[in-house]
Amino acid sequence: MASLLERASGIAASAAAAVGEGVNMAKDRVSTTVEGNKMLSDGGPPMEAKILTKAACQSAVQIDAIALGQLEAACKQYTEAAQLLEKQSSDSSVSTANTAEETAEFAALAAKYRERATAMEVVITTLKQSVAPTTPAMSLAESDARQILILKGKAVDVGTQVKQVADQAIADVKTKVAGEGSTA
């Protein structure tokens, strides 16, 4: 029984220490956030411009990394689709389901998909051979100031930027496909 009480007491002490550590961490973050807000208030437009400059640099480097990853994924998808198109247009075990027009279309698209994947591979290789830029150092207070500017609508976070670009690209493709469908 005493052993059980000792263990329970030890667990309670550990929990209290963890809660105390969490409270201290929260206090540190609040003081940093206050420091970021004070930085913007005291520094005025020049400080805001500096934070926005650093934020723009961070966004550019982050979007660069995202774009490279998406380009690699698109290249892989084009390569895989080209293989499927080639098989569908030339393998008699599956091409019997095609009309003659589909077989010709699949063969033509396979070549175009391979061409596109090859072009993407060149771009990927070129990008990987160059050194990606780094970002200017940003303190925790400056990072909090950036978040404050985002909340005020004076800056846009990377996730929102990427989503906006993706949404526009999808809309452009839908418009193009709809236009092609109406002329066919």
Side-chain angles (χ1 to χ4, degrees), residues 63-69 71-72 120-133:
I63 289 174
D64 180 303
I66 292 166
L68 180 58
L71 188 60
E72 289 172 323
M120 287 181 172
E121 287 170 357
V122 170
V123 172
I124 291 166
T125 299
T126 302
L127 288 172
K128 286 186 171 185
Q129 287 174 347
S130 69
V131 177

Side-chain angles (χ1 to χ4, degrees), residues 4 29 100 111 151 164 180:
L4 185 60
R29 285 298 296 136
L151 291 172
Q164 288 170 344
E180 289 172 356

Side-chain angles (χ1 to χ4, degrees), residues 6-7 9-10 21-22 26 37 52 58 70 81 84 93 97 123 136 155 163-164 172 179 181 184:
E6 289 171 359
R7 282 193 282 173
S9 178
E21 186 177 323
N37 194 36
L52 290 172
Q58 283 185 336
Q70 289 179 330
L84 291 170
S93 70
V123 172
K163 184 176 180 336
Q164 288 170 344
D172 292 348

Side-chain angles (χ1 to χ4, degrees), residues 95-118:
S95 64
T96 55
N98 305 346
T99 64
E101 293 81 19
E102 287 173 326
T103 298
E105 179 184 32
F106 290 160
L109 284 174
K112 288 181 180 187
Y113 279 37
R114 286 246 179 250
E115 181 182 321
R116 187 67 167 188
T118 300

